[in-house]
Amino acid sequence: MDVKVQSLIEQFGITEQTREFLAKPKYMYIDGQFQSDLDRPTIAAINPCTGGKITEIPLGTAADVDTAVKAAKHAMYKGEWSKFSPRDREQALRKLAELIRENAQTIAEIESLDSGKAISGCKAVDLNVAANTFEYYAGWATKIEGSTRDTSFPVDCVTYTRKQPVGVVGAIVPWNWPLGMAVWKMAAPLAVGCSIVLKPAEITSLSMLYLMELAEKAGFPKGAINIVTGKGSVVGNAIVEHKDVSKISFTGSTNTGKIVGQAAISRVAHATLELGGKSPMIAFEDADIDALAKNTLGSVYFNAGQVCSAGSRLYVHRSRYDEAVAKIKAIAEGIKLGPCLDPETVMGPVINKTQQDSILGFIEQGKAQGATLVTGGEALASDGTFVRPTLFADCTNDMTIVQEEIFGPVLVVIPFDTEEEAVELANDNIYGLASSIWTKDLSRANRLIPQIDAGAVWVNIHDPGDPAMPFGGFKQSGIGKDLGPEQLAYFLETKSVWIKI
Ligand code: NAD
């Protein structure tokens, strides 16, 4: 471990479990074993606050994916996992949720160090997202059902449908919610009896490896969950192309999603794609601008803006435009940037130098294209990859910063005059992940909800979440849903049964 990370840890302290976990060498988790025998090249896990190395993560190979898929297939069709009753699966999922809550501090510390997320946010959001999602799908394990049918032709048959797990699931996740996104991919398929081969993002694998220690304690048998760490071009690609992976569950950028989707369809594998976003917030003349400004802490500045559903485009009625810009500026300037482990930190760094450079590049483009930089717009002088909360006014829809996903703490504000214009501007984007409408007039909100091209429409709030509510995009934001009962369907095949009597 780099001395800079050590001094960060000494300054803020971590639990004994976190120390022990960080001190151990890291191995992939395949067939119920941490693979200490495999000698693989490694990639450094870097702490974004300091730029220092935390530990090394193995770079898996296509052969490792093959071993993991074989283990998953055996577990699902012949091994102990295949013998788990729905109630057994429910209990294992519930136990895992319980262990996540019991070890919340340790998981939050690991996630915060690895991703740079503010530890307060990790505890308040990421940990609850993970535990709540496992608990929610635990409840579904015993409620999977087919139906009987009364047929007309031919007669004398008993006819019914039965639901059965689709097969081995290949899950690929991004770095912005390492734990949360992985749990979104795992809970529903495990509830219905699928087994999983999951690849975390190569730069944020630590929390998943720790979770496997808890999964063992929760009673998941070998092969039910397998974690292969490494690069998308190697491990991700091998998962997508493996003939025995029946279903690809992908979360990441739209560009990678297109590659993954094409590879999946070329061998007729099931695939759901949860992709990028550039979600609009629309504030009308009667909006509560104070609430909207305060909500930017959750909508666009949370997790340093590295949130797929971030409300990163704000359309405000011209009569409230100056007020909105002034109030959001005050909020943005009050955000405390700092080291990820500091409980007082509200915003940590962005994930790495590549992402920081990309965000700063977008900011330069915004200035060059004529947007007014109201606040922020620069990096902090620090070893960490911090970007100040940024606000642009006087934007127009043709600007790059209004059209493209920046994936950083950057909000652009655009005025409008009429309801029709607001809807047209909000829909004028390749993405359609989420949106919010800010108005006291619920008749107007109700009228506009069907008109917004997005997988979620929130009214007078942006980015609430609950495992019961499906999440997934329209347009180039994806295909399919995570969460809710909707997600279960993607992991179930329907079999049509006819019995002649
Ligand atoms: P990314 O597309 O670069 O990588 C995502 C994952 O895909 C990583 O694990 C990566 O290693 C893997 N990968 C890369 N190339 C691959 C290939 N050829 N085959 C298979 N796998 C491959 O995305 P990222 O930069 O890690 O994450 C940020 C993106 O994720 C943003 O666009 C964000 O909006 C999106 N995201 C979407 C949601 C959602 O639910 N819609 C949630 C979180 C993040």
Side-chain angles (χ1 to χ4, degrees):
M1 183 184 291
D2 186 283
V3 65
K4 286 186 282 188
V5 185
Q6 272 172 11
S7 65
L8 176 73
I9 286 174
E10 291 327 314
Q11 190 182 353
F12 296 102
I14 54 175
T15 64
E16 214 33 60
Q17 289 105 295
T18 307
R19 268 182 213 283
E20 276 171 27
F21 173 76
L22 294 178
K24 284 190 285 195
K26 300 292 168 291
Y27 303 113
M28 291 178 275
Y29 185 74
I30 300 173
D31 203 16
Q33 298 246 309
F34 287 99
Q35 301 289 311
S36 54
D37 292 347
L38 290 180
D39 185 19
R40 295 283 177 262
T42 55
I43 184 171
I46 301 291
N47 167 242
C49 295
T50 58
K53 184 174 89 176
I54 309 167
T55 183
E56 298 273 342
I57 302 291
L59 287 171
T61 62
D64 298 330
V65 170
D66 189 49
T67 310
V69 173
K70 283 195 174 98
K73 198 174 166 189
H74 181 82
M76 196 182 145
Y77 296 107
K78 294 189 175 147
E80 204 186 329
W81 183 234
S82 69
K83 298 177 181 67
F84 264 47
S85 68
R87 183 164 177 272
D88 295 336
R89 297 198 299 266
E90 173 184 356
Q91 287 182 332
L93 286 162
R94 266 194 216 292
K95 182 71 189 166
L96 187 49
E98 196 183 307
L99 289 169
I100 288 173
R101 294 198 198 283
E102 275 172 24
N103 294 278
Q105 181 67 23
T106 295
I107 304 175
E109 287 165 0
I110 292 168
E111 192 79 319
S112 174
L113 279 167
D114 201 21
S115 69
K117 283 168 182 273
I119 193 156
S120 56
C122 277
K123 282 203 252 185
V125 181
D126 302 43
L127 267 292
N128 284 320
V129 164
N132 294 346
T133 303
F134 278 130
E135 276 165 0
Y136 174 78
Y137 284 105
W140 273 108
T142 52
K143 292 161 195 73
I144 306 303
E145 54 190 22
S147 61
T148 56
R149 305 286 164 94
D150 291 337
T151 56
S152 304
F153 336 89
V155 288
D156 297 338
C157 277
V158 172
T159 46
Y160 65 93
T161 62
R162 82 181 298 274
K163 300 282 181 184
Q164 59 185 62
V166 69
V168 174
V169 173
I172 300 173
V173 295
W175 46 261
N176 66 319
W177 295 93
L179 177 72
M181 287 304 98
V183 172
W184 279 19
K185 297 293 177 210
M186 291 161 66
L190 289 171
V192 303
C194 294
S195 55
I196 295 172
V197 176
L198 182 139
K199 189 195 94 61
E202 51 269 44
I203 49 178
T204 52
S205 299
L206 287 180
S207 55
M208 237 345 79
L209 296 179
Y210 183 73
L211 189 74
M212 289 308 99
E213 295 186 10
L214 301 185
E216 275 191 0
K217 288 184 192 154
F220 282 95
K222 63 183 202 166
I225 314 171
N226 304 272
I227 306 294
V228 184
T229 51
K231 296 200 168 170
S233 55
V234 180
V235 174
N237 188 54
I239 291 175
V240 174
E241 296 203 331
H242 201 292
K243 68 177 178 43
D244 288 332
V245 173
S246 304
K247 150 87 189 162
I248 303 296
S249 182
F250 174 84
T251 298
S253 63
T254 294
N255 283 343
T256 311
K258 288 176 186 174
I259 296 168
V260 167
Q262 279 168 9
I265 200 65
S266 73
R267 62 178 184 88
V268 200
H270 298 250
T272 39
L273 306 170
E274 303 296 337
L275 310 177
K278 186 75 179 179
S279 299
M281 305 187 286
I282 309 171
F284 287 94
E285 55 272 37
D286 60 349
D288 181 343
I289 296 293
D290 289 302
L292 167 72
K294 204 166 159 220
N295 197 185
T296 58
L297 290 169
S299 65
V300 66
Y301 295 129
F302 188 71
N303 199 26
Q306 302 164 119
V307 179
C308 52
S309 50
S312 50
R313 292 186 282 152
L314 171 60
Y315 298 95
V316 189
H317 191 268
R318 203 174 294 278
S319 63
R320 309 290 300 281
Y321 186 82
D322 291 341
E323 178 193 355
V325 170
K327 287 182 170 165
I328 296 169
K329 175 176 187 280
I331 294 281
E333 290 177 350
I335 292 174
K336 185 176 181 312
L337 275 74
C340 50
L341 288 184
D342 183 346
E344 302 295 313
T345 293
V346 175
M347 187 188 289
V350 298
I351 188 76
N352 58 20
K353 181 86 173 63
T354 309
Q355 187 63 14
Q356 186 188 42
D357 288 346
S358 163
I359 296 165
L360 295 174
F362 276 114
I363 289 170
E364 287 313 309
Q365 270 183 291
K367 290 195 266 187
Q369 289 177 359
T372 304
L373 180 65
V374 178
T375 190
E378 58 183 6
L380 288 191
S382 156
D383 285 341
T385 43
F386 293 88
V387 177
R388 282 193 196 284
T390 298
L391 179 64
F392 274 109
D394 306 321
C395 300
T396 52
N397 248 34
D398 55 352
M399 291 177 179
T400 308
I401 53 169
V402 179
Q403 287 300 324
E404 292 196 21
E405 182 182 43
I406 299 175
F407 223 51
V410 181
L411 177 62
V412 300
V413 195
I414 301 112
F416 69 84
D417 294 300
T418 65
E419 190 178 295
E420 294 70 27
E421 186 192 3
V423 172
E424 200 171 310
L425 290 169
N427 286 341
D428 170 30
N429 195 274
I430 62 163
Y431 296 111
L433 188 53
S435 64
S436 57
I437 298 170
W438 295 76
T439 179
K440 293 198 175 81
D441 180 352
L442 293 187
S443 299
R444 165 160 40 203
N446 197 43
R447 184 166 65 240
L448 295 186
I449 287 165
Q451 297 180 41
I452 307 288
D453 287 339
V457 183
W458 299 305
V459 178
N460 295 327
I461 187 168
H462 194 102
D463 234 349
D466 188 285
M469 289 297 281
F471 186 92
F474 289 9
K475 301 197 281 188
Q476 291 195 30
S477 286
I479 298 174
K481 303 285 170 199
D482 280 350
L483 304 184
E486 285 78 2
Q487 193 187 4
L488 292 163
Y490 299 107
F491 300 102
L492 290 166
E493 288 278 27
T494 304
K495 189 168 276 176
S496 209
V497 181
W498 301 66
I499 303 173
K500 182 89 175 92
I501 48 169

